DNA sequence: GGTTATGTTATTTC
DNA sequence: AGAAATAACATAAC
């Protein structure tokens, strides 16, 4: 259930709990100080990329939904509870997710300017980090959370389609202007995606991801696992340009 | 039973 | 040493 925009949306759903005191923390997640969380005030909730951060006065609990994570607000799901937080005004339950305890100050742990949806996101820094990996496939580089935190496989596919760049292009071969636009597109699509979540707009907004046909050329998208990570890409050979080294 | 999937991380390999 | 590939983990649906 991840991708940055969904996590920001989840954070917004949970904001009513801010200021409330934990009545009880339960679950099967390891390294969580269940007992000492009791009576702690939830100071704030933040996100970093696909991570959700519950901030308490002296520590933070980090939730990552990974691939299969589920959550329920004011209800319970019929599966193994990983972390449940009971407040006066309701409860939050997480399942099949990664939970961690963070004792360091968050500014020491996170570089917020890496997060595509954070106000301090720094596109120039992202561009520089991308060019530091010139031999990587662009479809792999876009998923690097140290470069573009919050971008997932859906955003990756649609951004490449929108900017008409072939997923197998090498980062170092993409002209700077095009790569710059690609970074901008990550921000724009993530923001749009968040707006769709907020508006509760029905239907599908993906142009390429999980789609059968290219809306520009009306030919079937190619669906293929690309690169060492093997994440699936949806792309159109006709309208997405492949940037590779000149072979002479 | 096998495959697939909005993901990360620990371990191994080069 | 450090980058890159591989394995591992988690879970439901088709």
């Amino acid at each position: 259930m991840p991708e940055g925009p969904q996590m920001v949306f989840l954070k917004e759903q949970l904001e009513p709990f801010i200021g409330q005191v934990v009545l009880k923390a339960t679950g099967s997640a390891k390294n969580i100080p269940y007992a000492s969380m009791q009576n702690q005030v939830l100071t704030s909730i933040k996100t970093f990329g696909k991570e959700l951060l519950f901030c308490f006065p002296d520590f933070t609990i980090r939730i990552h939904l990974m691939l299969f994570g589920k959550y329920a607000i004011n209800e319970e799901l019929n599966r193994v509870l990983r972390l449940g937080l009971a407040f006066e005004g309701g409860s939050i339950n997480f399942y099949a997710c990664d939970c961690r305890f963070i004792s360091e100050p968050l500014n020491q742990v996170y570089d917020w300017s890496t997060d595509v949806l954070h106000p301090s996101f720094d596109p120039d820094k992202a561009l520089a980090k991308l060019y530091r990996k010139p031999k990587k496939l662009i479809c792999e580089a876009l998923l690097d959370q140290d470069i573009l935190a919050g971008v997932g496989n859906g955003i990756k596919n649609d951004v490449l389609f929108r900017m008409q760049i072939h997923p197998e292009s090498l980062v170092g071969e993409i002209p700077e202007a095009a790569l710059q636009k690609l970074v901008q597109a990550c921000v724009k699509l993530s923001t749009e995606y968040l707006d769709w979540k907020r508006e509760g707009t029905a239907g599908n907004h993906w142009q390429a991801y999980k789609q059968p046909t290219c809306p520009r050329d009306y030919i079937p998208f190619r669906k293929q696992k690309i690169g060492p990570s093997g994440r699936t890409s949806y792309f159109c050979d006709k309208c997405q340009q492949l940037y590779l080294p000149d072979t002479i």
Side-chain angles (χ1 to χ4, degrees), chain A residues 16-245:
Chain A
F17 290 102
I18 293 174
Q20 293 191 31
V21 165
V22 176
L23 299 182
K24 196 169 178 89
T26 51
S28 60
K30 291 172 182 174
N31 305 316
I32 299 295
Y34 297 99
S36 48
M37 286 177 70
Q38 203 163 4
N39 296 325
Q40 293 282 318
V41 182
L42 182 62
T43 320
S44 64
I45 307 177
K46 301 179 194 291
T47 59
F48 176 78
K50 301 162 188 169
E51 304 174 26
L52 184 67
L53 303 163
F54 288 106
C55 306
F56 295 94
D58 301 314
F59 61 88
T60 301
I61 301 294
R62 186 201 95 140
I63 310 280
H64 197 304
L65 294 174
M66 306 302 283
L67 214 49
F68 312 119
K70 294 273 185 295
Y71 64 86
I73 303 170
N74 297 325
E75 61 173 330
E76 289 175 29
L77 302 183
N78 181 28
R79 49 191 86 206
V80 178
L81 180 67
R82 195 59 58 80
L83 178 64
L85 300 178
F87 296 91
E88 309 105 298
S91 65
I92 314 169
N93 293 307
F94 291 98
Y95 309 86
C97 60
D98 184 41
C99 306
R100 292 185 197 177
F101 175 81
I102 300 177
S103 55
E104 300 84 12
L106 290 187
N107 290 338
Q108 211 168 294
V109 180
Y110 295 105
D111 175 2
W112 306 104
S113 74
T114 303
D115 184 342
V116 172
L117 278 175
H118 196 275
S120 72
F121 176 69
D122 184 345
D124 294 333
K125 193 191 275 186
L127 191 65
K129 284 184 188 172
L130 285 172
Y131 275 129
R132 245 175 264 162
K133 314 206 175 228
K135 292 187 176 173
K136 271 217 160 194
L137 299 176
I138 188 60
C139 62
E140 302 252 304
L142 288 179
L143 292 175
D144 189 331
Q145 299 300 296
D146 292 329
I147 299 178
L148 296 162
V151 171
N153 208 27
I155 292 172
K156 174 201 86 177
N157 276 295
D158 265 44
V159 155
L160 287 171
F161 177 72
R162 285 184 177 199
M163 296 298 109
Q164 302 188 241
I165 297 175
H166 195 287
E168 288 179 298
S169 298
L170 294 182
V171 173
E173 300 299 324
I174 301 173
E176 181 164 343
L179 201 56
Q180 215 160 25
K181 281 186 183 174
L182 193 59
V183 171
Q184 286 169 10
C186 289
V187 177
K188 185 155 184 271
L189 178 55
S190 296
T191 306
E192 289 175 5
Y193 192 172
L194 176 56
D195 286 337
W196 294 326
K197 292 295 291 180
R198 285 171 173 158
E199 291 161 7
T201 321
N204 161 59
H205 293 284
W206 298 121
Q207 290 178 18
Y209 180 59
K210 288 184 176 172
Q211 301 310 304
T213 314
C214 170
R216 279 196 282 259
D217 297 304
Y218 306 106
I219 57 175
F221 271 122
R222 273 178 65 195
K223 178 190 177 190
Q224 195 178 317
K225 296 190 178 188
I226 292 172
S229 75
R231 305 300 301 279
T232 62
S233 283
Y234 294 76
F235 56 100
C236 174
D237 278 318
K238 199 168 167 188
C239 67
Q240 289 178 252
Q241 172 146 14
L242 181 59
Y243 296 98
L244 289 180

